[in-house]
Structure formats: C-alpha cells, structure tokens
Amino acid sequence: MLIYISAFIFGACCASFFTVCAWRWPLGLSIIWPGSQCDFCHHALAWYDLCPIISYIVLRGRCRYCDAQIQRHFFNSEVAGGLLACCLARHYLPSQMGYLLIILYLLSLVDIFHTALYPVPMLLAFIPLFIEYWPSNHWVSALLIGSSLSIINYFSDGIGTGDIELLAILGLWFGLETTLLMLLIACLFCLTKYLVDYLRHPVVFALVSRSPIPFVPYISLGVWAVLTIMNK
Ligand SMILES: [Zn+2]
C-alpha cells in the first residue's frame, strides 16, 4: 500500500510538471519563467496553490484571487498521472513500455490542450524506442496502417494526420494485429465517453460535437489496456 501511495504522489507531481510543459511548449513559452500564474488574472500562484490534486479540491476548482474556473484538465491530468505511476508500479512493465506510456501521456496532454501533434518532437521522443526495437520492427504493418488510414482520411477527413503517424509508429513496434486491437479499444473508449456526454447533456453535446476530438488520449488508453492485458 505504501508503494502505491508513494507512486501515486510521485506520479501526480510529475504529471503537474508535464501539464505545464504540454501547455507552454507548443505556445513557445518557457517552462521555467514566469512561474505558475492564473491564466485569467495573471496573479502569481503560491506554493500552497500548486499542490497537485489537493489545491484543486481545496479551492473547488477556482482561482484563489479572481475566482475564475480553473481548467478541469489540470486536475484530471494529475489524477491520471498518479494512476499511471501506480499502474507502472503494479505491472512491472519493461522500461521501454513504461517510457512509451509516459511519452503517450505527454502527447495526450498536448492533444487535449492544443488539438494538435507536433511530428518532429514526437519522432525525437520516440528515438530510444526506434533503436530498441530496430531488429524486430514491423515495417510492413506500419506501412499498411499508415497508407490505409491515409486513404480513409483522404476521402472522409475523419482522423487527424498526427493520429495516423502515431498509429503507424505503434504498428512498427507491435505489429498489425496488436495495433488494430489498440485502435479498436481506443474507439470504444471514445464512443463510450461521447455517448455518456450525449446522455448527460444532449444540448451541450450538439454544440461541441462538431469540434475536433483529441484522439491521442484514447489511443494511449488503448495502448495501456493492451499492455496491461499482455503483462498479466
Ligand atoms: Zn485568477
């Protein structure tokens, strides 16, 4: 139990830092300066406003100084980071797979905040895995996934190009069958989430349903689910 509590706290703290990175890097902002501040009133945040998860709960999701609503993504990402760290501690995944999940976690945050992926940083982050899996890379699978999804995207415009690149890279390491399983689980997670949203708030759903869906978090959940099943 102590291991899990420690892992959760460590994961939530790392997630808090990753969230700042994912929010600021794509905007070309420094992750060090200026220090954390409210996005609305730009008041500098004290250390007690920055405790992962706890500060959000104590402040009821609002800025201490101007009472503006804090994005719920920050809270969710810290909880998800804590759970991811517990999962890594529980399943003793190989270090490469742990690394993959952490990178996917960071990419998911970037996709949620900016609805975009940045191919060059993504490829750079994956270099250690390209080298690690070089002898057993599934080039045909990656080619098949990349080309077939690109054709679908050409006619339907239903999937983002960053998502296609990411799925092709996953195909390179896991092969066609496993990657399609990851994609299937990702689609099921996504459909479930949007079905729940529709049932809870049909009017709001009708307004937001035409905006792009950040799909990387669902792909990441698919990867996490398959890796967890494979390591049982
Ligand atoms: Zn404020």
Side-chain angles (χ1 to χ4, degrees), residues 16 36 44-52 54-56 59 64-65:
S16 184
S36 295
L45 301 180
W47 65 268
Y48 44 81
D49 296 325
L50 295 169
C51 295
I54 296 168
S55 293
Y56 186 92
L59 294 170
R64 183 190 298 277
Y65 310 98

Side-chain angles (χ1 to χ4, degrees), residues 20 23-24 29-47 49-50 63-66 68-71 74:
V20 174
W23 176 249
R24 291 190 180 187
L29 302 172
S30 163
I31 57 167
I32 301 168
W33 188 89
S36 295
Q37 58 183 11
C38 170
D39 289 330
F40 297 93
C41 65
H42 300 289
H43 194 293
L45 301 180
W47 65 268
D49 296 325
L50 295 169
C63 170
R64 183 190 298 277
Y65 310 98
C66 70
Q69 184 94 41
I70 300 168
Q71 287 194 58
F74 289 95

